[in-house]
Amino acid sequence: MKKRTSLFLALTLVFSLCVPAFAAESVTPTPPSWVREEEYIVFPGSYAYESKFWNYVTQLRADAEAGGKKPQKGDPLWTMLTQLSALGSGSLQGYKGHDQAAEFELALLELMWHKNAGYPDRWATYEPFSSSVKDDKKAGGPNAAKLSLWHVRSMYQINFYLQPNKDLSSFADVIEETMRINGLNSLNQFLAYGALQPVDPAEYERLSQALSAERAKIYVYLDGEEIIPGRDEFGRPSHLPGRAQNGRTLVPIRAISEALGAEVKWVQETNQVHLMRGGDEIVMTLSQTEATRNGVSFQMDVAPFAEAGTTFVPVRYIAEFFGQMVEWDGPHHRVLVTENKTVVQPSNLEAWALPMGAILTKVNRDDPTLFGTMIRSHRYLAPVDDGRSMARIPAQTISRDLLWGGWGIQDREALMTTTAALATGSDAWDWFRVSSLAQWGYLAGYVTYPEALALVEPAAQKVCETYGSWDEAQGAYLAGYCKWAGLSAADIWATPRGQLYGEMKADPAVAPIFDDALFTAGVIGLPD
């Protein structure tokens, strides 16, 4: 009996010593002295709040507050730093996953260590808060705004602060957006944390001027993508930003015309610029408010002007005359331009056009769910110089190359003639290609959106009348493809294009365009 009692007591002692590893006592976290309480983030359930780890945090904080630099190997605090780092990264034995609280606390410490070291350049090869931001996104972003604030503060402090040789203009927009989403109304609020206090007066003035210049900029977005000023593959601005005059936004003409698929012609003798898209032509004269559309004069309330070799034109007039919707997003200084598709309602011709052109769109590795097959404002990586090199090419240029290289089409008239001839064909092999040509023609600027749908309409009517489902219609298209390509039609679904169709039907993002209900609803044409 005594032996059993002794064994029981021994086991009780062993298990009691093991309890802290499974249910360690936690503390209530508080912010360090250099962080305002309302900007501090707590991550419920984090291991960093266990007494042992929190003791490490408080000792590291105290040392940093006293002017201590980042602990190095051999320093008494080195073990605490490495333990917290391992906990944050998820590599500490016995603890699963990244610990956001540990990452966040270490990132706050990095800012003080950077200050205590004299704000050196190239402080770290990483951004201290980047891991916390990524983990927060995975968790659904409950702390997104605050983490963004600290992430941007760290980027500014480590990469720009007291470094006058570094241009702030490329980063001012990031600071401006971060201040907006966090409800910060002044630069003082953005800089109000201990690692930057007191702020250097010259540095404050430099950042203030950069933000003032940023707030004077106007951005233009087409279909949700920034086109003005835009960025090249190296992150550099592609164009000058928009300018405000008399309540209107003026933008570099080539930037807006390229994105909309319009051609630009400059006539030196008359100081006039001609913009052609579809069947429309707009003529504007520098420094004059009178302009013409298709020969009809109209009055603008702001005149085009030239600056540093760039011609600026009022974006609203051009966009709306070319069938676009224009909205002003004041808080973000943005002009939002999108295709005005309300003019074709209640037509369902786009719903017919997408599946009709889908296989050929997929052959070109473009987006079958997008009318036009490519993002209008985007530059795509494509081969140049007979395939010897690659370059970023505007979607407008790519679509024109497709029309010219495969079909000999290089203008509006040739497009209309070719699509009309194909629409008189006998099966889906011809009718489907009408959709592809019409979509490329829209992107190329040869036809407007309503005109592109009008080209598709007769072919869509024949598809609807001839077939009862998309499988049947695509099968007919593939049979025509096999005949054209000299392939066996014994198993059309095993052909390269047949397999592409199968892949699209299995893709949840693409499959909905192949809606057989269209064959019951019929083709709803354009309104009169």
Side-chain angles (χ1 to χ4, degrees):
M1 183 67 179
K2 289 182 179 179
K3 289 182 179 180
R4 290 181 181 178
T5 302
S6 299
L7 178 61
F8 175 77
L9 291 174
L11 289 173
T12 301
L13 177 61
V14 169
F15 281 115
S16 68
L17 291 173
C18 293
V19 168
F22 297 97
E25 182 182 352
S26 295
V27 301
T28 301
T30 55
S33 61
W34 62 90
V35 175
R36 291 184 294 174
E37 186 170 355
E38 62 268 26
E39 293 178 350
Y40 184 65
I41 304 173
V42 174
F43 301 88
S46 289
Y47 295 123
Y49 305 140
E50 292 181 2
S51 297
K52 178 179 74 171
F53 294 119
W54 192 251
N55 180 52
Y56 295 166
V57 170
T58 55
Q59 289 193 58
L60 288 168
R61 282 181 179 179
D63 186 67
E65 288 167 344
K69 296 181 181 179
K70 187 173 183 178
Q72 302 299 312
K73 194 170 184 178
D75 189 294
L77 297 175
W78 170 253
T79 301
M80 297 182 185
L81 174 58
T82 56
Q83 286 275 299
L84 282 174
S85 296
L87 179 66
S89 65
S91 60
L92 187 62
Q93 188 173 1
Y95 295 87
K96 291 184 178 180
H98 294 275
D99 191 273
Q100 278 190 276
E103 291 177 334
F104 181 67
E105 296 296 339
L106 286 171
L108 292 176
L109 282 163
E110 286 283 359
L111 297 182
M112 282 301 288
W113 288 330
H114 182 243
K115 175 186 180 180
N116 296 341
Y119 302 110
D121 191 8
R122 306 183 189 280
W123 171 252
T125 56
Y126 66 97
E127 300 297 346
F129 290 89
S130 58
S131 295
S132 293
V133 171
K134 290 176 183 176
D135 286 346
D136 188 67
K137 287 181 179 178
K138 291 178 183 177
N143 302 302
K146 286 184 181 179
L147 278 173
S148 173
L149 173 62
W150 284 110
H151 185 51
V152 172
R153 279 173 167 169
S154 72
M155 292 173 69
Y156 167 67
Q157 178 180 323
I158 291 173
N159 297 308
F160 295 97
Y161 188 64
L162 296 182
Q163 298 175 45
N165 60 312
K166 290 193 175 180
D167 184 10
L168 267 171
S169 61
S170 62
F171 193 62
D173 60 333
V174 178
I175 296 177
E176 172 76 3
E177 175 65 7
T178 302
M179 290 175 60
R180 187 192 67 79
I181 64 175
N182 280 278
L184 305 184
N185 299 316
S186 71
L187 180 56
N188 286 328
Q189 290 177 299
F190 175 76
L191 299 172
Y193 65 101
L196 279 187
Q197 297 299 316
V199 178
D200 179 78
E203 183 63 24
Y204 181 91
E205 182 60 25
R206 187 170 80 101
L207 180 55
S208 180
Q209 290 179 3
L211 286 177
S212 295
E214 172 61 30
R215 288 162 183 160
K217 292 179 183 177
I218 296 178
Y219 296 81
V220 179
Y221 281 68
L222 178 64
D223 299 337
E225 184 165 313
E226 180 186 312
I227 60 171
I228 298 173
R231 303 282 175 179
D232 63 15
E233 56 265 43
F234 303 106
R236 299 170 302 198
S238 301
H239 307 282
L240 293 173
R243 310 287 178 81
Q245 283 191 8
N246 298 337
R248 294 292 188 187
T249 299
L250 292 95
V251 298
I253 188 171
R254 294 204 177 275
I256 188 66
S257 60
E258 176 185 283
L260 290 176
E263 291 186 61
V264 180
K265 178 182 176 183
W266 169 253
V267 181
Q268 183 70 39
E269 295 76 16
T270 59
N271 272 347
Q272 289 182 324
V273 60
H274 296 242
L275 294 95
M276 291 80 70
R277 180 178 183 265
D280 294 319
E281 180 179 21
I282 298 173
V283 180
M284 294 183 175
T285 307
L286 291 187
S287 304
Q288 294 187 20
T289 55
E290 184 178 0
T292 64
R293 181 193 182 195
N294 299 332
V296 179
S297 177
F298 67 92
Q299 197 71 26
M300 302 182 294
D301 49 18
V302 64
F305 67 90
E307 179 180 297
T310 299
T311 299
F312 286 78
V313 293
V315 64
R316 181 175 290 275
Y317 290 110
I318 292 175
E320 290 183 344
F321 283 160
F322 284 152
Q324 310 300 299
M325 294 180 66
V326 181
E327 297 179 69
W328 170 246
D329 177 8
H332 296 90
H333 315 284
R334 298 190 303 193
V335 177
L336 309 179
V337 182
T338 54
E339 185 69 57
N340 185 7
K341 296 187 176 183
T342 63
V343 297
V344 302
Q345 292 177 351
S347 173
N348 64 355
L349 279 168
E350 181 175 321
W352 281 97
L354 294 178
M356 287 169 64
I359 289 181
L360 197 47
T361 298
K362 199 67 175 175
V363 167
N364 290 315
R365 300 182 180 181
D366 294 324
D367 187 350
T369 68
L370 186 66
F371 189 84
T373 76
M374 289 177 276
I375 300 172
R376 292 190 291 169
S377 55
H378 205 61
R379 286 175 171 264
Y380 292 84
L381 195 62
V384 295
D385 298 330
D386 298 325
R388 290 191 294 271
S389 60
M390 304 290 284
R392 294 283 176 182
I393 308 297
Q396 175 201 40
T397 301
I398 295 174
S399 60
R400 291 190 174 195
D401 288 346
L402 287 169
L403 290 169
W404 172 244
W407 295 84
I409 297 172
Q410 58 180 340
D411 56 35
R412 173 182 174 84
E413 290 71 25
L415 175 68
M416 291 185 164
T417 299
T418 304
T419 52
L422 287 172
T424 64
S426 58
D427 57 28
W429 170 243
D430 287 330
W431 302 332
F432 279 18
R433 291 184 293 167
V434 171
S435 175
S436 297
L437 294 181
Q439 292 186 65
W440 294 337
Y442 160 70
L443 203 63
Y446 293 157
V447 291
T448 65
Y449 175 69
E451 287 175 334
L453 295 181
L455 295 180
V456 173
E457 185 170 357
Q461 288 283 10
K462 291 188 176 181
V463 171
C464 184
E465 294 167 0
T466 307
Y467 309 108
S469 69
W470 285 114
D471 283 354
E472 183 185 0
Q474 298 289 351
Y477 166 84
L478 291 170
Y481 158 67
C482 289
K483 182 178 180 180
W484 171 79
L487 301 175
S488 170
D491 186 358
I492 56 175
W493 307 109
T495 63
R497 295 194 183 190
Q499 291 179 32
L500 284 179
Y501 177 61
E503 291 172 6
M504 288 189 287
K505 287 291 292 284
D507 185 344
V510 181
I513 70 172
F514 301 105
D515 184 4
D516 286 341
L518 285 170
F519 291 90
T520 302
V523 175
I524 303 173
L526 298 174
D528 295 331

